[in-house]
Amino acid sequence: MASVNSVGEAVARIAYLSSDIVLSVQPALGVDSEFSKSLHALAAKRTAGVITKETAILSIRPNTDPLLSAFQPLRAGKLVSVTTTSSILLPSIPHLYKLAQYPIVIHAALRPYGRPDYSEITSIRQCGFAFLQSETLQEGQDIALSAHALAIQSGKGVIHFFDPANSEKDNPIAAEDRGLVKNILGLDAVGRHQATSTGERSLYVDEGRQATLEEPSIISTDTSQSQPAPAKEVPTEATIKVTNSDESSVGSSGRDSSADSRPTLSSASSIISTTTRPVSSEDIYNLVLDIWHRIVQATGRTYYPFEYSGPANAEFALLVFGSTGLFVDDILAADPSEAFAKCGIITVRLYRPWLGSSLASTIPKSVERIAVLEQIRKRTTKWGPVLLDILTSLRTGPSASGTPMIVGHQLGYIEPATVRQALRGIFQNLKSRSPIQNLEVGPRQQPADRVDEYSLEQPKIETAYMKILNQVFGGRLHVANRLDAANAGISSTIAASPEFGFGALLARMDHRKRFVSAVQEAATTQDFVTNVPQSWLSKWALSSDDPKKSNDLAKEVIRRLSTDGSRLASQLLSSKSLFFNESQWLLGSDAWSYDLGNSGVHHILASGANVNMLIIDSQPWSERAAADATRRKKDIGLYAMNFGNAYVASVAVYSSYTQVLEAMIEADQFNGPSIIVAYLPYNKEDDSPLSVLQETKKAVDLGYWPLYRWNPNNEEKGEPNFTLDSERIKQELEEFLRRENHLTQLMNRRPDFSANLSESYGTEVRALQKRRAKDAYDKMLESLYGASITILFASDNGNAESLAKRLGNRSKARGLKSKVFALDDFPLEDLSGEEYVVLITSTAGQGEFPQNGRAFWDAVKESTELDLSSVKYTVFALGDSHYWPRKEDRIYYNKPGRDLDARIAFLGGKRLIDIGLGDDQDPDGYQTGYNEWEPKLWQALNVDKVEGLPEEPPPITNEDIKIQSNFLRGTIAEGLEDTTTGAIAAPDQQLTKFHGTYMQDDRDLRDERKAQGLEPAYAFMIRCRLNGGVATPSQWLQMDQISTSYGNKTMKMTTRQTFQFHGVIKSKLKPAMRGINKALMTTIAACGDVNRNVMCSVLPTKSAYHRDVYHVSGKISDHLLPSTTAYHEIWLKDASSDEKHQKVAGDALVDHEPLYGPTYLPRKFKITIAIPPHNDTDVYAHDVGLIAIKGINGRLEGFNVLAGGGMGVTHNNRKTYPRTGSMLGYAPADQIHLVCEKIMLVQRDEGDRKNRKHARLKYTIDDIGVDVFRSKVEDLLEWKFQDPKPFHLTSNIDTFGWQKDEFGYNHHTFFIENGRIEDTPSFPMKTGLREIAKVHRGEFRLTGNQHLCLSNVHDDDLEDIKAMMKKYKLDNIHFSGLRLSSSACVAFPTCGLAMAESERYLPQLITKLEDSLEENGLRHDSIVMRMTGCPNGCARPWLAEVAFVGKAYGAYNMYLGGGYHGQRLNKLYRSSIQEEEILEIMRPMLARYAKERKQDEHFGDWVLRAGYVKPTVEGKKFHDDVAEEESDGEA
């Protein structure tokens, strides 16, 4: 049996087994209490409780009014326990009086640790709870169990308190016996409570609830005198039943009478009914005795309400209400000569109810004097409460004569070394003729070196807002209640409160008013050495209330006073900080939103004082569904707006950094109270920024946390008071406001409906949508003949959906009434009424259901009442048997389909035919298995021999879409005008790529929006066409403005040297395109089956040479541009213009594409130029790679031409692979645009247009051979390539920092991690680059590694530029070599192809590896690491020395051995590994590399030499000889 080592663990285990819900009050969500670690460990193992299968653990911070969370589950019939420190008890008194009438158990560990204050127990002794105390580890286990049994059997609250330090040296004990726990708890009583629920809603109004007992009502059958029942008879569950009554308002407290209130018995009687009465103190006492009687029978361990230990003939005794561990050992080991030898010790086990008669019978008759020791720090009366209890018990009543003398003592802080000295003092006083009452033993104050084990501190993640405050206000900022402030004698908890902070600010304001008066007086005196200070002081005094003017004048005033030398000047300078007009703030948490913390906020608002409050709310959106409405967390923003005199803003730094800045500046400028409620959701204080970002996006997008600003002064300026800043919910919020009056009236009439109406609206809408869609479908089918078949699908990439729809059409052709739904769109309750059901599902992630089937599966999986015995069904599943290579992971192959098949059968469904399994590894992929499965289905339905079936039209392909698009027009223009959806039609989604934009949706929000009945958060990505990656400062500023006005306020610099904008909603798509055009840029052909952006090396050190090559890149780009005018017509032409020859869909006029033709290219086409020795554009990775060759004059001469590079791959499809370009030969510079054209034309005509996975140029070249391909190009050129010229490449990374070119101009390459330009609280990068662009006279060059080169900086501007870089932290390039050499694609949340995180995760992974780099001396070594969220290869991972390619969320394939120069492909090393495995692999690998590498040997070369992987000699061999072979067969 397991052992238990601490009392906290023992209590936590009992609480877990004995509760439905445990409220774990923790110092912080990321900091364990003495209970929480054990609680969470049990929950993680899904350990079954005794009274419920799975106990819920709710972690709560102590400053958020934690006992509020107990009301709702208690009223719903749940058994609730609380594990906490004693510090929450006093603030919770308003709740305790009501909770006392519920079966709740509070386990309170006394604080401060090792020096506990028992006044936190005595102060609440009259609240109606029963109180039990334990002292040792074993007692802690038994008394915790006793507390739960007592609460269950009495129906009343129980507080179990203990000093954890008292038992810290106890030996481990055996874990609890589950059988004993069941026996002691009394499961019948558990069931009675769980079957009850109340309609109570009030928290503070007494609604009359009382714990009651039901017992037999006995009627006498004769006239004999009734006799009272024996007083000590213990009621059992056979004679009484605990209930709860709401009919009486009489409360029960710990001071209830001990008189017996049970009915009397007669000599002859019969039971005819039961009676209900309140639970009395006597009942509690008797129930406790019964519980302890059963414990002693089972274990031999005895417990009594009052316990005496010591000699039977002792003359003196100690009753200790404190840490007995201080005295017991010394008394037991005392020398007979000691004054305290042979004394007895009295322990209070049952503190409330206090039954004095039990105490009197416990004390031996020989005891003459009792020393009462109370460990109470906060004394509110002269006499200690325990002393008064004992005096009342022993000095009143018939047995008062002859009772011992009672002498009270107050225990202070006693060190172990002084215990004997303290005991001597106690007994010296006790034995004296006139003992001193309330003698203090030990100092009252806690020693300075003794502090609690956890003090209040601001979570690191919350520093984001503090950083912004510091950025905005700098030296003007004053936070009155900051935790690191020195407040002598004030605890951090009090100092952080709004009341304390407000008082401190009022004092500070008053101090400055006095200072201003002193300055005004000084300005009129002649006490200065010169007359200069007076005029400056007068100017300042007139502007003292104006922050800008007074702060501008302050520096000069101080300077003038400093040179004056007078006594008066020195006096003023002693308070020189007061010359500055501070921005005064209070910083708080959402604890201020609860009733017990809200009064300070109210005082500030009511005062009208010019005080700013920043209140950080940390409740995650994902927890809001489980939120307890009775916690009464106030909406402080709405609360403040109702005052009418306050500035209010609701902000979220992870949603809109700009809005946070605006709100803080406006709050500071507002003359009056200002409140900014700031969102920063986290489950634990050490949550990653990524999880905070995802939670923030959900909350803002779905309206849980709207972004707004409210300024009551705006009305005077003719501006609206209210500004809504959260773009995504504008429309939905407007609709909500239109119906607000109706909902408000309904909620006021029926308060119990309010939570459902206000919080669950989306859920109700979703259910209603399902119902209406299903009913409409059924009604449509009523007129048809044949059997009804319901086809349900779950699909991630569209394959399962396509199969389902095709099967539906084929069903109709065979005479069946078919209906097709996504699983999540079908009402589950209707499933049992369907005759035939076909379920088709693909496999997502790690054997998971696709997104549109998860809710259905969760409901089916959990349902125990769904009867499918009348349903005939079959399942077809789509998967990949080799997707998870390790045998232990083969269970994920087609897991959703197989799970669904088994569950439907378990619920009674009858299989039509066996499950069909589609495998991507089969010759025709999943179609192989499907083609075997479908005929069996028709046969089972008796429709397999239907004749005259119509021919099915072939599926529409991309080639069809292109040829029918009228040169890329499609119905894009019409789709942009459709305001009913944020999306465009599926064919148009393919066509808009040619225009430089992709439709996407925010994948962080998919599930939540679906649950709310909303369409996905559709938005568009826009990619610019930027030849060679060069932009002017003016263009940079315009791109910055476009990202702020139309996008998500960030810019992405891509691996193809261009700008990319995300989050552009459809209504802003056309304005954004026009803004780009005004910047003399375009997006045409930035994506799609055309030649895309032409790349060019940055080469900052050779500007003339770079200019030559850059000119060629522009020439190639312009030469290969599509000729269609559709781009101009759709995006740029004004609708009111009279331009002729408009060629939108349906018009007769047709464009002409001389190069591309109406179907353009089979797939994308990419060209790049590298300038040796730099390969910063990965010249081998593209369809055409041009290697610039320098002439003897140092200028461009020509190019070596590579063809057939490409990065796109499909996981586990060996027919797809990456490829490096093949050398075709050399061509002169003036002919290179024609060379690129001819290569493109051969690909246009020879490329595979039937299979897009085989359509890239790399496959064309491998299919026909390099020599044949070269000859075809040469035939079109009508000349042959020359032999390639020699060249040398040294790396494919950027060179960071300052460099000079041959003309003396300066160039600086910034490190922009993964190309994301944005402002964060710690790094205002976007602002800094914007400010530099305003003054820069050169150009910006975007690199192929997603970094930025500030080019052509003149020496005259250099120092100013450097100063700006330092100001905005842009001069930092001191990162690890690994980080500087890393690169990642966008992936989540916007890329629809992403399988795992990339851009948002790679920086975190590198951080976790950097310690290993430091340890092994590799911090400055460049190791090329790349990450992508899918195998499409946007960050060109296949050329990296180490790469991670997403396979499922959180899982990656690991590749090793790429060439440092970008010249060699890497090889698969491990498949489907997660972070823990990645770190386990990389750390020892880095250590070994540091020890074994040769001089100048790069990591990619070393892993080949060390044998980790074999080299990939060509693309076709990419899947051969991998380090982790994918074994066949299923596990």
Side-chain angles (χ1 to χ4, degrees), residues 286 420 956 1331 1393:
N286 289 331
R420 286 178 175 267
I956 296 176
E1331 294 304 311
L1393 300 175

Side-chain angles (χ1 to χ4, degrees), residues 67-87:
L67 293 191
L68 279 172
S69 292
F71 282 95
Q72 187 177 50
L74 284 168
R75 289 167 172 172
K78 303 289 186 183
L79 290 172
V80 178
S81 63
V82 183
T83 58
T84 181
T85 63
S86 56
S87 60

